Amino acid sequence: MLHPPRPRLAADTLRTLLARHRVGEVLSCEPLSYGLLNHGYRLGTTRGRFFLKHHLDADPADPAPLEQRHRATARLEQLGLPAVPPMADGDGRTVTVVDGRCYALHPWVEGRHCHGDQLTTAQCRRLGGLLGQVHTRLAQVQPAPVPGPGAVAAQVSADPAETEGLIGELLRRVRSRRDRDGFDELAEYRLLERLELLRAHGGRRPDADTVPATGWVHGDFHPLNLLYGVLAPGRASEPVAIVDWDRLDVQPRAEEAVRGGAIFFVRPDGTMDLAKVRAYARAYRRSAAASVAELSAAVHRVWWERLNDFWMLRWRYQLRDRRTDPQFPAASALVVWWTRHYERVREAFCG
């Protein structure tokens, strides 16, 4: 099976959830998304519209970590950030466990996702400032950061020898396909190209003794996790909701800024809009009080991470999941372009 089926919610489960939250009778339930981390549903009831999230990775026997993330988003909302925490049920709990599954009910927020090419320069500045506020406010509402597994893993840069082994495995899978298509041809080309880049730049692996500055981060800051209000057709206002806090963790904070910029401002041809990156990054540095040295180190580490990363091809060829296929052409081209224009990219984030 190449794609998981669109999820449907059992009627008994839905009735139980709505009864516990006292939000009326169901009028509609539309599956919105599916993935490895959650399923989403848009609900219409006799008392309004809501977003129901099924957390696939949450432990129903111990929902405390998920509830802790919910409390963090509630505190951020109190400080003026568009965090949109879930609603509490009749017992005051934000996680409802039904039939061994964890659910959270959020108020519905009307908005749309915007890529960087849809944002003005002023909006790019506000985007960078918003991420800086997320990092500084998380430091206020969360306990003193103790690096967790994500931060520890993030500090260990990829080993190019292991990456070469992965490239070899993926090439074997691509070449063994009977009915090759255009994607397979592109994948083989990019894998061979990346192998050459790794051999040319393998000596630039980030210093293992340099520990990046860590702090609490959203963990997955990109266009699909940010909703903008709609002023008129084709015009976005300001962010109205930051969603999907599932990866809230202690990690290198400036690296989240660089990753976010690389996703928001990549063009379809794999180049980056460096003018918008500069506006975004300057605002982030001011808002987060991040130094140029911190951003420079983050640019290098994220570039190296991208050079060694093949998660989209692993989804297609190892997991037989093609949902990320549309992202691959631009993302794979970006690595090559970034390597060729390394100093320009670094200057855009740090200048």
Side-chain angles (χ1 to χ4, degrees), residues 11 15 40 42 90 104 115 130 159 173 184-185 191-192 202 223 306 336 347:
R15 280 193 293 269
R42 177 166 55 191
H115 192 265
L130 175 63
D159 183 340
R173 289 176 179 265
D184 298 318
E185 298 296 331
L191 286 166
L192 293 171
R306 290 296 188 93
V336 181
E347 194 278 332

Side-chain angles (χ1 to χ4, degrees), residues 34 51 91 102 106 124 146 148 150 152 158 194 247 276 287 289 298 334 341 348:
Y34 54 92
F51 173 70
D91 297 323
C102 294
H106 298 255
C124 294
V146 177
V152 174
R194 195 78 63 85
R247 297 181 183 177
K276 289 186 174 181
S287 181
L334 174 62
H341 301 276

Side-chain angles (χ1 to χ4, degrees), residues 89-113:
D89 65 15
D91 297 323
R93 307 292 296 270
T94 55
V95 178
T96 303
V97 179
V98 182
D99 294 331
R101 299 180 178 89
C102 294
Y103 299 91
L105 187 67
H106 298 255
W108 179 260
V109 177
E110 196 65 49
R112 68 186 183 106
H113 304 295

Side-chain angles (χ1 to χ4, degrees), residues 50-216:
F50 305 90
F51 173 70
L52 178 65
K53 186 171 182 178
H54 172 196
H55 291 268
L56 297 179
D57 61 339
D59 182 359
D62 182 23
L66 179 55
E67 291 176 329
Q68 193 279 329
R69 292 198 293 272
H70 291 167
R71 288 193 293 273
T73 59
R75 296 187 190 108
L76 291 176
E77 184 187 47
Q78 292 169 0
L79 292 175
L81 291 180
V84 195
M87 303 160 56
D89 65 15
D91 297 323
R93 307 292 296 270
T94 55
V95 178
T96 303
V97 179
V98 182
D99 294 331
R101 299 180 178 89
C102 294
Y103 299 91
L105 187 67
H106 298 255
W108 179 260
V109 177
E110 196 65 49
R112 68 186 183 106
H113 304 295
C114 291
H115 192 265
D117 61 1
Q118 299 169 287
L119 303 178
T120 66
T121 300
Q123 287 175 317
C124 294
R125 284 194 291 268
R126 290 195 286 274
L127 177 65
L130 175 63
L131 181 59
Q133 289 179 48
V134 168
H135 290 173
T136 56
R137 300 290 171 81
L138 279 171
Q140 297 174 26
V141 304
Q142 289 290 85
V146 177
V152 174
Q155 293 172 17
V156 180
S157 60
D159 183 340
E162 294 181 2
T163 303
E164 285 200 25
L166 174 61
I167 290 174
E169 178 189 345
L170 290 171
L171 278 172
R172 286 190 293 273
R173 289 176 179 265
V174 173
R175 289 167 172 169
S176 66
R177 290 178 57 81
R178 294 181 179 179
D179 300 317
R180 286 164 60 99
D181 57 19
F183 187 100
D184 298 318
E185 298 296 331
L186 177 62
E188 180 175 6
Y189 176 82
R190 291 302 189 195
L191 286 166
L192 293 171
E193 180 181 53
R194 195 78 63 85
L195 188 60
E196 292 183 6
L197 288 176
L198 278 169
R199 290 172 177 172
H201 299 280
R204 299 174 66 184
R205 183 181 182 182
D207 188 349
D209 296 328
T210 302
V211 179
T214 59
W216 287 98

